Amino acid sequence: MMSFARYIARGELARALDDMARGRVTYAPRREGDAVVFRPRAEGEEPLLARATVPPKGVIFPQSERLFAFIREKDPNDPGRTTVRLDSTVDIKPALIFGGRPCDARGFHIFDRVYLNGPHRDPYYAARREATVVVTLACTKAGSTCFCHWTGCGPADTTGSDILLTPVGSGNDGGFVAVAVTERGAAVLEQANLPEADAARADAAQAVHAATRAALGAQSPAPDLSATPTRLLERFGDNDFWRDMSDKCLSCGACTYLCPTCYCFNITDENDGGDGMRGRRLRSWDNCMSSLFTREASGHNPRMGKALRLRNRVGHKFSYYPQLHEGVVSCNGCGRCITGCPVSVDIREMVVRATEANEETPNA
Amino acid sequence: MNLAYYPGCSGLGTSREYERSTRAACAALGVKLTDIPDWSCCGSTPAHALEHALSGALSARNLVGAARAGCDTVATPCPSCLSNLKTARHRMADDGFRAKVGRLLDQPADALAALPDVQSVLETLVTRVGLDAIRAKVRQPLAGLRVAPYYGCIMTRPADVMRFDDPENPTSMDDLLTALGAEVVPFPYKVECCGASYGVTRRDIVARLSGRLLGAARDAGAHAVVVACPLCQMNLDLRQTQVEWPGGKAVDMPVFYFTQLLGRALGVPDAELGLEQLCVDPAIAFRRAAQVVAARQAEEAAQAAKAAAQAAAKAAQAKQAAAANEGGRA
Amino acid sequence: MPVLKGKELRVVGFLCNWCSYGGADTAGVGRFSQPTDLRIIRVPCSGRVDPMFVVKALLGGADGVLVSGCHPRDCHYSQGNFYARRRLETLKTFLPALGIDPDRFQYTWVSASEGQRWKNVVSSFVEKVHQLGHAPRIEEAAPYLPLAEKGDTPRAPLRPPLRPLSYPAAGTLAASLEQLREKIRAALPELDCVIGWQQGFDALHATPLFMRKPEDVDKLTWGPLNVHNLATYLPQFKNRKVGVVVKGCDSRSVIELLQEKLVEPDNVRVFGMACEGVVDMTRVQKTLDAGNADGAMCADTAPSSVGVEGDNLSIEGEAPARLRLADVVAEKCRTCDTPVPLLGDVVEGNASAPAGPAPDAPPSPPSLDALDSMTPEQRRGFWRAQMDRCLRCYACRNACPMCVCRDHCIAESRDPHWTTQEGNIREKLQFQVIHALHLAGRCTECGECQRACPVNIPVLALKQWMNRSVRTLFDYRAGVDVNAVPPLLAFAVEEKNIKEHGL
Amino acid sequence: MRIGVFVCHCGSNIGGTVDVPGVAEVARAYPDVVFSSDTMYACSEPGQAAIVDAIKEHALDGVVVASCTPRMHEPTFRRTVERAGLNRYMFEMANIREHVSWIGKDREANSNKAAELVRMAVEKLRLNAPLYPKSFDVTKRVLVIGGGVAGIQAALDCADGGIEVVLVERESTIGGKMAKLDKTFPTVDCSSCILGPKMVDVSQHPNIRLYAHAEVEKISGYVGNFKVDVRRKATYVDWELCTGCGLCMEKCPSKKSPDAFNEHVGVTTSINIPFPQAIPKKAIIDPTSCRQFVKGKCGVCAKVCPTGAIRYDMEDQVVTEDVGAIITATGYDLFDYTKYAEYGGGRYPDVITSLQYERLLSASGPTGGHVKRPSDGKEPKTVVFIQCVGSRDRSVDRPYCSGFCCMYTAKQAVLTKDHIPDSRSYVFYMDIRANGKMYEEFTRRAMEEYGVQYVRGRVSMIVPQGDTYLVRGVDTLLGEQVEVPADLVVLAVGAESSHGAPQLAEKLRISYDNYGFFMESHCKLRPVETNTAGVYLAGACQGPKDIPSSVGQGSAAAAKVLGLFSRGRLESDPQISQVDVRRCVGCGKCITTCPYGAIEWMELRGEMKARVIETVCQGCGICTVTCPQGAIQLQHFTDNQILAEVNALCLS
Amino acid sequence: MDVTNLESVRDDDFIHAVMEESGQDLTHCYQCGNCTAGCPCGFAYDIQVSQIMRNLQAGRKDKVLNSRSIWLCLSCSSCTTRCPNNIDVARVMDVLRHIARREGRVAEKGVTTFWDAFLASVRRHGRVYELGVVANYVARTGRVWTDIDLLPRIAPKGKLSPMPHGIKGRDEIARIFQRYEEERTR
């Protein structure tokens, strides 16, 4: 839906954002220590354009959220009779995420397929997703771990976004070409009262997209991954392969928690202090690298060892998910799992090697 | 380690000979004494009996001076000065006291937290130079000299402040004198008070206490008393004519500073030791010592003669026997 | 039921059953009136008091915590209070690192007969807590991010004495590396594998290498990019023979693992080489970004090769750069005193590997200096702000060579249930405290926790603080002696450096 | 869970300052509490019956009683809930008397605090689990360490009770300090006449195995099953052959061996039987003075010994004994008076200790019972006794009263008059402690019948004066400085713990006080038990004691052992640590820190894990804190149970 | 002798002041008398030192501060050294003198006059001038014959300085005394 394009001069960005975000909490990248994270943005605050260390998925799918509170209530006449009351009110405010990249925004699309449009609509996710406008910034450079162009995503991909901003020009002459992707995006963009982007600027934006795409291709030509889903299944029993792949994995959760598409969660109940009669049910991010992931009540875990857990992560993204979702890969090639990994485990290498030479696979 | 020297006021007056002999003996032993620049009086008993902070301030001024001169230890010959300086340093650990002293001084109190250590010249000699080194430098042993070592009451007490030697039965001066060749007599009153500065105001006290000390030295057969304190020396020597002798039997008992005997043993000329400034003639002691040596030599000679005679007799006997034997064989 | 508003503060006591609980009883029998604030939890022994209980209480809103046991030598279990004394003193010295006033925590000894003493202890402690007032909560502290706008965690300048930076000429290095490879090739047949480094996803990144076949050995690299401490992998090879390549600092972790019997001396072959220092990737990245006028639109660049030239790290490729080593080398390397591995089959390599500062004058790490320079309030704000972005990925833990519990870490277990999955500051910080306390006397300050953190939280400072405490209290340094007993697994009847706290 | 809460008024003890019904009411709202009521006296018969009834009526599976300290009535109420069919560990107490009602008068604050304590108890109880004790066999033998009068009494009583006794004595003869005494107060009967027969009984009792000149080297195991290594030190004489004839002593040419039995008043031969009544009456060689050892030649004793018992090449031997209980009766030593430089610090020959004086008085002593001055052998006419030498003196770190010195000093003063009728004795004392049967009467006799001069005050200094000693002191009753010229000065040296006592305590895993005396379990109610099950105390090892008290404790300890052994099997406390093998990573840190050696290695599917030896674990919980994974948990005090209490207070 | 009413003679503030200023816990004294036993000057005391301690425990301020003993104490530390309860008795005696001086009670005027003469000399010169002290003392007390017998013994020894040894920091010393007096009057 490329109905119209607007132009935001560099100096106008903060003002435009204020207008677009009217009535919404804006989340924008902010430097904290040596990391860049999404944080609520104050009005008038000049936004940071750096790519965030952590994707903005937590805005819609929080690291830990209370699903409901449970309150035990005693029968005043018989303390032995206790009833439990649930309070599932969730306070969700309209929000706007600014400054994510196409790979970040496309993450929401991966989530949508599971929590919004799947067989079970998740009310918490749905409410936040629907209340949140995603304003994405197109990429102008190819990072060394970027491989979005392998996965169906790209430096100017609009999947999951409501508005796409493309930086054009430079210095004081620079600005952004803003294109509404969705109706909602259009409405929000309208609020900012911006001039239309002229053809030259629209072309410039296209040129930026093309240049970045070319740079990515030059850095690492996209391999043919059409056979990957089946190849990975064939690799399922190749323990040596997965051992080699996972040797250096430390089983931490950095890759999954930095991933814009990882959507697994865990549920725990916690008691409140106070009178001891209240508690809450929490949903928090889970991580398939952890030994606790899918651990059964007996203590047994069908995915014994880090090799099988890493197999799950790669398999899920490049085989199981695409098989359920029309071939859509649940990896956007953002590369954060590679840069964020303390030992540089490289998912690209695993996918390529699994796809390539599997002739010797015993279980093929 | 740099050693600062605090002479004490009496060294400029009544204990001149202590001061002179201390410097002479230290020089002979290669101990360098750096006077605290422009040192002042520690206030002695009159100050601490009036107020502890005042006493602390008078002492602290000198310790700060030593620290500024780059010294980490202060040595003083006088036990009263020693006691005041050490007590001041000891109490300075208390924040309140330090602040109080600080208010009396020109300089702010921050220097007071880490004052240099304080020790007596006796401690310096015994611990720093060491008895072995001293023994090796003795050129004129004090042979035959029987001495009663008198340390004075505050050189070692109270023990937790002074932290030197046994508070009741110190032996460092005994050991030093023994190393010099003197004979130390058993003296039970090593740390019993002589009456201190009460000579002027309450002569009766000094007369009795010093009398007891001199009497014990006399009874123990000492030729002299050896002291490490100007006040003790004055009470025992100058006031010897005033004391009450136990049993009424007065003798002439020379009273040396230990540094004088040390200097003498090391071969320092008497003139540098101020022996002539003692009231009771020191020659008395040396004379008695010489008598002992002479008697001993006479006895040894007699013994040797006797032994020689015995040996000769034995040899004669053996000769006789051998002769008899030979005769028999023949 | 809350504490009585305006009257009481929340004061929690842990009392051993045999002495102090009895002492409190005796005080009661003697009708010694006491402040009502204290709530007593009875435990069998002060040795049962996990310092984490204290932390849990203090982070959870207690205004004061008091632990009391039997007098030293008088423990019902003969040694419990000796262990308690070490643990609790260690905790007391650690609390200020979190911005918690150490006066809010006190431990003491009261016997069953000392009713009067108990009254005095309670009265003076509660009075002290009242003087301090309500405990400020870390989650309510004003965030304090010094230099945040510059994107810098607080780094004071490195203080001398520093190790000079001098790298061997390329030829020397290659010869040494080949020597090392030879040793490994020779040993490989008897080993499951040998762990080393190879080039990672680009020339700027190394990655661990698991050598199983002789040809794998060719991939082995050596240089300033070998940042990982490979000792971390050793415990998982239990009962298998494995080799590992170490830098000087890594060797200390191996020693620590051997000491704790988590690695069998017969099962591990250590290969080492004198180390000239490694880079701090965060610093490298930041230095590269600083040159990026566009506000680091994209953080990564893909260099074609990286090497050391004189005092510089030279990066070739699309965006060539010369980085002063002094700017990008890891802090720990500038203050390193063990450039040559302390054990194993060592290639002296660059024989001129410069010695570091003398071990008796351990330099103060800059991040610790920074923490020291903050007020307690700033420290609370600092940790609040830093922990806010923690993802609870536990990379810090999993990269730590001494975090041997791994799958059984109490941070994630329900029994015992120390932390919840709540995403708040308290729970996140609590884990960092667990990590630091569990590392007391074991941490070699390899810095893997901080290096591994994907969001660069300066968690190493907590361990550095703890190490300083351990050094001061017990004259102990981890990872130098295989046969040493770590201080918290031992005690002394008379503790040289622990003074009784007057209560 | 279904929890019942019972809040006790304890008459007005609690009800006076706590709103007891109000607390019970508040508790009703607590989680899992299905029943809550107040009760006048929970521990009374009707109070307990009400608890039993409520358990049945409301199907309770856990009970909280809020009343006095659990140290008082926890066992009571545990039995109560057990009677009602619950496991005894499904019970918690909230101490709202000693910790609440008795220490404050603010009713509002007290009630609030009481309610919180109840809530903490409820939160803990919710995580309690039933625990069951284990039973195990007992080795019915006892080790007695120390053959003084207390150890002898304990050994004889146990042996008479039919159990085997292993008696270990450090010296070459039993008898201890009492064997050195001449007479005993207040009856002035002969010490060796009353002790001698008991010593003989020890040597002849079929149930007693005596190791003299031996020391306990190592102790492992636990109540019912200890393993003890005893080092039998070399005597250089084969005691199997030695008949105690004493010929060797007569002929021994080296006569300058230190005479320890006679407290170094004089010297003895290098081969020696310490005294005629020694048990065992066997000779022993002192290798530090024996010519054979020092010079490498002599061999006189070997030549003269009629049975050929001399063994110059003998070495120490370690034997291991299995026992089920241990009685320590290691006694005391005397204060080293040389710390008092003002009393000569050992330099004055006629300033002696009370025990040395005892040897001078004894007919079997070095002077044959004639009191003579060590310096010149003259009979002293003026004897000064100085009390509290090393007692009641903080400056030498002996602040305690040794208890028996007053009495033995009076006895020695009396004996002095008996031995030397024209003598006069002075006793410098601070207070006379004569609180035993006939004790006060005895000291009065010393003053009234024997003319002993008691001077209230301390002695500041002893000054030699010619061949006498000027004792300078004070008579505080006169308020004057006084002095006595004395021929002999006897120092009433105080008692201190036996040398090596702390080291033995560490082997036994029992506590000791600042002065090295062993700690009893409870100063009043468990005076001979220690906190280590199966280890008992007798005599002065626990603190200074006179003979009657020591003998009484010896018998008491024996009674405890006999009582312990009267049960066929013992039950272990289930409040012990337990390892979750799934969480254990096998680092062994718990094994390092366990003070009892109660945790051992175990192999499980090729991996090493920790395992708790149930009967050895004492339940301190040091391991639980040591274990980083929390894999080893002290039952009844698990992390989660304590956390529940913390959370009840601190999370809001 | 009158019956002593223990309640009315007891001055708790005084007890507290002595404990505070001396840093010694008077309750530790159990009246063994060892301080008296070893006191070299006891023969000259009007109240023995252990009785001073007992009177302090009873809070009898007048009795203690009016005693001559506190002025005759030689500060030899025998009492401190031998106290079985680690009380620094000599320091207590010192503190009693401080309090007595503050309250203007001096039972042995000669002693304090000599001390004052000594301190005046220090204040003036920075170091003690011995002849000056004696002269000052004689002038203040009128005891003109003091030690006149010793003059012939010492005069020929050349030890008595005819002139004071002033120091550069004289003013500094004087200021110490001045500040001390200011503090005292405050």
Side-chain angles (χ1 to χ4, degrees), chain D residues 343-355:
Chain D
Y343 295 169
R347 285 170 293 143
Y348 306 149
D350 299 326
V351 178
I352 62 174
T353 70
S354 46
L355 199 56

Side-chain angles (χ1 to χ4, degrees), chain A residues 29 35-39 51-58 63 100 104 254 257-260 285 336, chain C residues 389-391 454-455:
Chain A
V36 178
V37 287
F38 282 87
R39 289 285 178 257
R51 194 172 91 142
T53 317
V54 186
K57 79 171 170 186
Q63 187 179 351
D104 296 337
Y257 294 161
L258 292 174
C259 177
W285 290 354
R336 282 196 183 90
Chain C
R389 65 177 182 277
C390 169
L391 302 167
V455 289

Side-chain angles (χ1 to χ4, degrees), chain C residues 11 13-14 28 51 62 73 80 89 99 113 134 146 195 205-206 261 293 300 302 321 324 326 342 344 393 411 430 435:
Chain C
V11 183
F14 294 91
R73 289 212 193 84
E89 183 67 24
S113 58
H134 269 292
I195 314 166
H205 293 82
K261 303 194 173 46
D300 306 323
R324 266 165 35 93
L342 297 178
C393 70
Q430 199 153 281
H435 197 182

Side-chain angles (χ1 to χ4, degrees), chain C residues 168-183 222 273 347-350:
Chain C
T172 322
L173 182 64
S176 304
L177 176 58
E178 199 41 54
Q179 220 182 321
L180 181 64
R181 286 185 181 138
E182 266 321 303
K183 286 175 188 283
W222 184 270
M273 193 143 123
V347 177
E348 292 293 335
N350 176 16

Side-chain angles (χ1 to χ4, degrees), chain D residues 7-15 20 37-44 47:
Chain D
V7 188
C8 179
H9 290 264
C10 195
S12 63
N13 277 313
I14 297 170
V20 171
S37 81
D38 55 325
T39 164
M40 190 46 77
Y41 286 103
C43 59
S44 68

Side-chain angles (χ1 to χ4, degrees), chain C residues 1 7 10 17 25 34 38-39 42 48 60 73-77 87 260 408 417 426 438, chain D residues 69 71 74 99 103 106 112-113 116 511-512 531 582-583 589 596 626 637 639-640 650-651:
Chain C
M1 190 173 296
K7 272 193 189 173
R10 179 53 84 210
N17 177 53
D25 286 350
Q34 297 157 44
L38 181 72
R39 306 286 181 266
R42 183 167 68 126
R48 172 67 190 92
R73 289 212 193 84
D74 199 7
C75 175
H76 179 88
Y77 302 102
R87 293 163 177 167
E260 299 193 6
H408 305 296
H417 188 35
R426 194 199 323 162
H438 282 181
Chain D
T69 172
R71 283 163 55 92
E74 192 173 60
H99 293 187
I103 60 167
D106 181 334
N112 179 68
K113 180 174 177 182
E116 275 196 14
S511 316
Y512 52 97
N531 288 330
R582 287 179 305 183
R583 297 183 64 75
K589 292 187 181 76
Y596 299 97
T626 305
F637 292 96
D639 282 347
N640 278 1
C650 291
L651 286 183

Side-chain angles (χ1 to χ4, degrees), chain A residues 74 79-80 273-277 298, chain D residues 28-31 33-34 119 582 651:
Chain A
K74 285 194 170 186
D275 60 5
M277 299 292 280
S298 67
Chain D
R28 208 159 285 143
Y30 291 160
V33 172
V34 302
R119 174 141 143 63
R582 287 179 305 183
L651 286 183

Side-chain angles (χ1 to χ4, degrees), chain D residues 36-199:
Chain D
S36 177
S37 81
D38 55 325
T39 164
M40 190 46 77
Y41 286 103
C43 59
S44 68
E45 202 279 326
Q48 293 191 46
I51 295 173
V52 172
D53 290 348
I55 291 172
K56 289 179 175 155
E57 186 184 336
H58 298 280
L60 303 179
D61 50 12
V63 168
V64 170
V65 172
S67 59
C68 52
T69 172
R71 283 163 55 92
M72 173 97 84
H73 275 316
E74 192 173 60
T76 314
F77 292 119
R78 279 182 172 169
R79 283 193 296 272
T80 309
V81 301
E82 211 161 36
R83 278 207 303 282
L86 297 190
N87 182 279
R88 57 192 313 175
Y89 295 97
M90 298 307 287
F91 168 78
E92 286 296 326
M93 266 182 106
N95 182 348
I96 63 168
R97 192 178 74 177
E98 283 83 348
H99 293 187
V100 181
S101 70
W102 278 353
I103 60 167
K105 294 200 164 62
D106 181 334
R107 197 173 174 82
E108 186 198 8
N110 280 0
S111 305
N112 179 68
K113 180 174 177 182
E116 275 196 14
L117 294 183
V118 172
R119 174 141 143 63
M120 286 162 65
V122 168
E123 288 293 351
K124 170 156 192 281
L125 178 60
R126 293 174 76 196
L127 296 172
N128 280 12
L131 302 175
Y132 304 94
K134 297 265 190 318
S135 76
F136 57 92
D137 285 328
V138 179
T139 307
K140 292 189 179 173
R141 297 177 87 227
V142 63
L143 169 72
V144 178
I145 308 173
V149 66
I152 288 172
Q153 187 65 39
L156 289 174
D157 287 351
C158 287
D160 289 345
I163 57 175
E164 279 183 48
V165 178
V166 179
L167 176 59
V168 175
E169 166 58 48
R170 182 156 65 187
E171 305 302 331
S172 71
T173 170
I174 60 170
K177 294 282 186 296
M178 188 177 170
K180 298 185 181 189
L181 303 183
D182 177 37
K183 302 284 193 306
T184 58
F185 60 80
T187 47
V188 201
D189 47 1
C190 162
S191 185
S192 58
C193 308
I194 54 178
L195 181 63
K198 279 187 180 292
M199 291 166 62

